[in-house]
Amino acid sequence: MQSNVDPHPAISLSAGEDSCRIKLAAVVGPTAVGKTALSIALAKKFAGEIIGADSRQIYRCMDIGTAKPTRDDRARVPHHLIDLVDPDETLTLAQYKQLANQKIHDIHARGKLPLLVGGTGLYVKTVLEGWTIPEVAPDFLLRGQLEREVQTYGSDSLYRQLQQVDPIAAQKVDARNIRRVIRYLEVYHTTGQPISSRQRKAPPPYRILQLGLTLPREKLYRRIDARVDQMMRDGLLDEVRDLLARGYDENLPALSGFGYRQLIQHLHGARSLEDVVSETKKETRRFVRRQYAWFALDDPQILWLDADEHAAERASEALEQFIHA
């Protein structure tokens, strides 16, 4: 498959050209494409600090399966919004947005460049587009009821409910993202209004440069397969075993992600290791297709770079121009 990346795209700056605005760079793109390495290189060169935008890396004790930056990576460049909550705790989208904006302003105030880095489209868009998120407190009783319904009838049952009460939100979430589906239903039942009617956009006070990393699909799939194999060599199975030994419920939303869910089945003796590793690779490839729905290759707000075609040099040139514009 040929890459759709324009070899000489124009740089697009959002939120206006006002030089008084805080300058914010973002590195986005699908999993396994190389965002971590590129963002660290840029942060080192331009005195930046990295703000994570990954909904799985917020959990403590889940390092290998979420491909967190290593301790060495974090020693080289400050990283923020990683390891925020335990696997049995919740971080709402509104909370994430508040924390991210606080970090952006704090980094800027110290004379550093904030770099928003990650592949969770919902997190990235919330910050870059200034979504207003309904401040609805968690209803743990309702959540428990919905989680039990998933265990009894499956995730499709909840997704069909969401399609009925909020078809707009249902179009934007994967049916297997149980945590997000439950949250949308929670907002609806608590307020009587669909979350889609309560979300608005207010441009944030930033000048934004979005750098997107991509690869032809077959190359990216090979990287994904290699990454999963490396995770297994690094001890992902032991990481999952340790999480269960710590007493974390295997039905927690944090443990529903690909890799964790499959390996739990293996530890229960339900499936072979070869089978679950193969499915993890397949699920990760499917996830990439959803990421490209958030980060479209024809989005004029994103400067797309082929990860194999001198991406670091071109990203550095673009960021240099952006900073001094």
Side-chain angles (χ1 to χ4, degrees):
M1 179 181 293
Q2 296 297 315
S3 172
N4 294 322
V5 180
D6 182 345
H8 301 290
I11 298 174
S12 178
L13 307 181
S14 57
E17 299 294 331
D18 185 357
S19 60
C20 295
R21 291 176 180 267
I22 294 174
K23 291 180 179 178
L24 170 66
V27 178
V28 302
T31 189
V33 78
K35 296 186 297 296
T36 297
L38 176 62
S39 61
I40 289 174
L42 294 175
K44 289 286 288 183
K45 183 172 183 177
F46 295 100
E49 297 187 14
I50 294 171
I51 301 166
D54 189 304
S55 63
R56 302 176 75 212
Q57 293 181 357
I58 64 171
Y59 295 112
R60 304 184 188 102
C61 306
M62 298 175 63
D63 300 335
I64 299 171
T66 63
K68 282 180 190 170
T70 65
R71 290 182 180 178
D72 287 344
D73 291 336
R74 288 186 250 182
R76 293 168 61 198
V77 171
H79 284 68
H80 306 277
L81 304 196
I82 294 174
D83 292 336
L84 294 174
V85 294
D86 290 334
D88 57 355
E89 296 176 329
T90 299
L91 183 79
T92 68
L93 185 60
Q95 289 172 322
Y96 171 81
K97 179 190 173 187
Q98 180 181 16
L99 290 171
N101 284 324
Q102 287 174 348
K103 289 299 181 183
I104 290 168
H105 284 78
D106 175 60
I107 293 167
H108 171 75
R110 290 187 281 104
K112 305 293 185 179
L113 174 70
L115 286 158
L116 185 71
V117 180
T120 299
L122 192 59
Y123 278 18
V124 173
K125 297 292 186 182
T126 295
V127 175
L128 299 188
E129 297 180 359
W131 291 8
T132 57
I133 310 299
E135 295 283 355
V136 178
D139 184 333
F140 294 107
L141 179 61
L142 175 59
R143 285 186 184 181
Q145 295 173 345
L146 295 174
E147 289 167 358
R148 287 191 292 274
E149 185 169 335
V150 170
Q151 296 174 21
T152 303
Y153 301 107
S155 60
D156 286 346
S157 172
L158 286 192
Y159 187 69
R160 286 194 293 271
Q161 290 182 37
L162 183 62
Q163 287 177 312
Q164 292 175 357
V165 301
D166 194 349
I168 296 175
Q171 290 179 343
K172 297 180 180 180
V173 67
D174 184 71
R176 293 165 295 185
N177 189 339
I178 299 171
R179 179 174 60 86
R180 187 59 54 190
V181 172
I182 287 178
R183 177 57 178 168
Y184 289 172
L185 286 172
E186 179 182 46
V187 170
Y188 173 77
H189 288 297
T190 301
T191 67
Q193 296 178 328
I195 194 170
S196 60
S197 70
R198 299 169 61 87
Q199 291 179 329
R200 299 289 185 269
K201 295 180 182 179
Y206 310 137
R207 286 186 66 207
I208 299 167
L209 171 65
Q210 292 189 64
L211 300 170
L213 273 187
T214 189
L215 277 174
R217 202 62 60 94
E218 291 307 315
K219 282 187 178 181
L220 184 57
Y221 288 170
R222 287 195 294 270
R223 282 201 186 186
I224 287 170
D225 291 350
R227 170 184 272 192
V228 173
D229 289 336
Q230 186 62 52
M231 286 177 173
M232 295 303 298
R233 289 192 292 270
D234 289 343
L236 179 55
L237 183 59
D238 287 336
E239 180 171 274
V240 175
R241 187 182 285 115
D242 179 66
L243 287 164
L244 298 180
R246 289 171 180 263
Y248 291 116
D249 191 315
E250 64 188 58
N251 295 307
L252 286 170
L255 297 182
S256 67
F258 38 84
Y260 293 96
R261 182 178 67 254
Q262 289 84 0
L263 287 171
I264 288 172
Q265 294 171 346
H266 168 70
L267 289 173
H268 286 329
R271 304 174 65 183
S272 70
L273 187 59
E274 181 181 11
D275 182 33
V276 298
V277 169
S278 177
E279 182 178 316
T280 298
K281 294 175 180 178
K282 180 180 178 181
E283 287 292 312
T284 308
R285 294 188 213 110
R286 184 177 293 133
F287 177 61
V288 162
R289 294 194 286 272
R290 298 202 300 273
Q291 286 179 303
Y292 274 119
W294 281 101
F295 308 114
L297 291 172
D298 60 356
D299 186 342
Q301 300 296 328
I302 302 176
L303 171 59
W304 283 106
L305 307 171
D306 189 306
D308 279 349
E309 296 294 333
H310 308 289
E313 294 177 20
R314 295 185 57 215
S316 181
E317 291 171 0
L319 194 49
E320 180 99 36
Q321 178 182 342
F322 171 70
I323 290 172
H324 294 102

